[in-house]
Amino acid sequence: MKKHIVVLTGAGMSAESGLQTFRDANGLWEGHDVMEVATPEGFRRNPELVLEFYNQRRKQLLDVEPNAAHFDLAQLETDFNVTIITQNVDDLHERAGSSNVIHLHGELLKVRSTGNEIDIQSWSNDLVLGDVCPKGYQLRPHIVWFGEAVPMIEEAMAICATADTLVIIGTSMQVYPAASLIHYVPENTVTYFIDPNPAMESQGHFKVIPETATQGLKILKTLL
């Protein structure tokens, strides 16, 4: 039976593809206050601004390609059972060939009905006011905003509990509830933490690889 590698990825995974990390040091996201564009209240106050914000993110996503790290993760499926749990809303893992990806924070290339949260559909064009579901409700980005429940978190917890190896790439693991996932892996699971500026050091079964995602994956492949 193949070893099960669980991979937790964040914004640093896609940075080398040219996608901006979630927000910069002053809390702005692409020049916007996060509370304006990533909360239900912001959407209620100014839906046009929010829809246009995600239209721009969608266009940006369609202009970039997976990087070497995405392809290296997909390639691991040859020898291992790999599950990727990502905080990213892009589809770069899937485009690189990874077959088992859980998106904790939603997906940029999907939209859902404001009247029925399980009515989700693929969407690659601009989304505007007046785009509605079959029941007439306005469509919104299929993104988990601040203050909203993370619907996939329980499945992610269950998957972490089955990990033989844990790999963390491009995330500081400080955004909850995603940050809590590390506590669900079996005790003493070998964990690799790939980050160019790690705030922690290797210790016991916890091994730090102080590199970018692309360089870190090259090293990881020699260690697995």
Side-chain angles (χ1 to χ4, degrees):
M1 202 160 131
K2 291 180 178 178
K3 272 172 63 173
H4 185 200
I5 298 178
V6 175
V7 187
L8 307 179
T9 69
M13 183 78 203
S14 299
E16 291 170 274
S17 290
L19 287 181
Q20 297 298 313
T21 50
F22 182 75
R23 47 189 164 154
D24 53 29
N26 59 10
L28 296 181
W29 190 11
E30 302 279 348
H32 290 272
D33 183 327
V34 171
M35 303 314 282
E36 285 178 13
V37 295
T39 62
E41 295 78 17
F43 185 59
R44 279 197 292 273
R45 274 195 303 272
N46 194 340
E48 284 173 308
L49 171 74
V50 175
L51 293 177
E52 181 53 25
F53 176 82
Y54 289 97
N55 288 343
Q56 294 305 317
R57 306 289 73 72
R58 205 175 293 113
K59 285 192 181 101
Q60 184 189 36
L61 173 55
L62 293 170
D63 273 346
V64 302
E65 299 293 337
N67 61 53
H70 290 107
F71 287 108
D72 281 342
L73 275 186
Q75 204 175 15
L76 287 180
E77 292 188 15
T78 308
D79 299 309
F80 303 98
N81 174 15
V82 181
T83 307
I84 296 172
I85 301 170
T86 187
Q87 297 173 60
N88 298 339
V89 296
D90 61 61
D91 66 336
L92 298 181
H93 283 303
E94 288 90 343
R95 275 198 254 164
S98 288
S99 62
N100 197 3
V101 184
I102 290 175
H103 287 268
L104 288 179
H105 295 160
E107 297 179 64
L108 203 44
L109 295 180
K110 291 183 179 177
V111 298
R112 72 174 186 257
S113 167
T114 53
N116 177 7
E117 61 184 31
I118 61 171
D119 181 359
I120 301 163
Q121 55 182 293
S122 298
W123 198 275
S124 56
N125 301 316
D126 282 356
L127 180 64
V128 298
L129 283 181
D131 287 328
V132 295
C133 75
K135 292 187 174 175
Y137 292 104
Q138 173 66 39
L139 295 170
R140 55 160 277 183
H142 181 47
I143 301 290
V144 177
W145 287 328
F146 288 99
E148 293 185 320
V150 179
M152 301 301 290
I153 195 69
E154 288 188 3
E155 185 177 340
M157 290 169 178
I159 286 164
C160 284
T162 68
D164 295 309
T165 303
L166 180 68
V167 181
I168 304 168
I169 310 171
T171 171
S172 61
M173 295 305 288
Q174 290 176 354
V175 176
Y176 283 83
S180 67
L181 291 175
I182 196 167
H183 303 302
Y184 288 85
V185 298
E187 202 174 345
N188 298 324
T189 298
V190 175
T191 299
Y192 296 95
F193 182 66
I194 299 173
D195 192 287
N197 302 297
M200 51 195 85
E201 296 179 352
S202 294
Q203 187 177 337
H205 62 274
F206 190 87
K207 303 176 190 306
V208 174
I209 302 174
E211 297 286 353
T212 62
T214 53
Q215 291 305 311
L217 256 299
K218 286 184 174 63
I219 295 167
L220 178 71
K221 288 198 299 184
T222 68
L223 300 173
L224 292 172

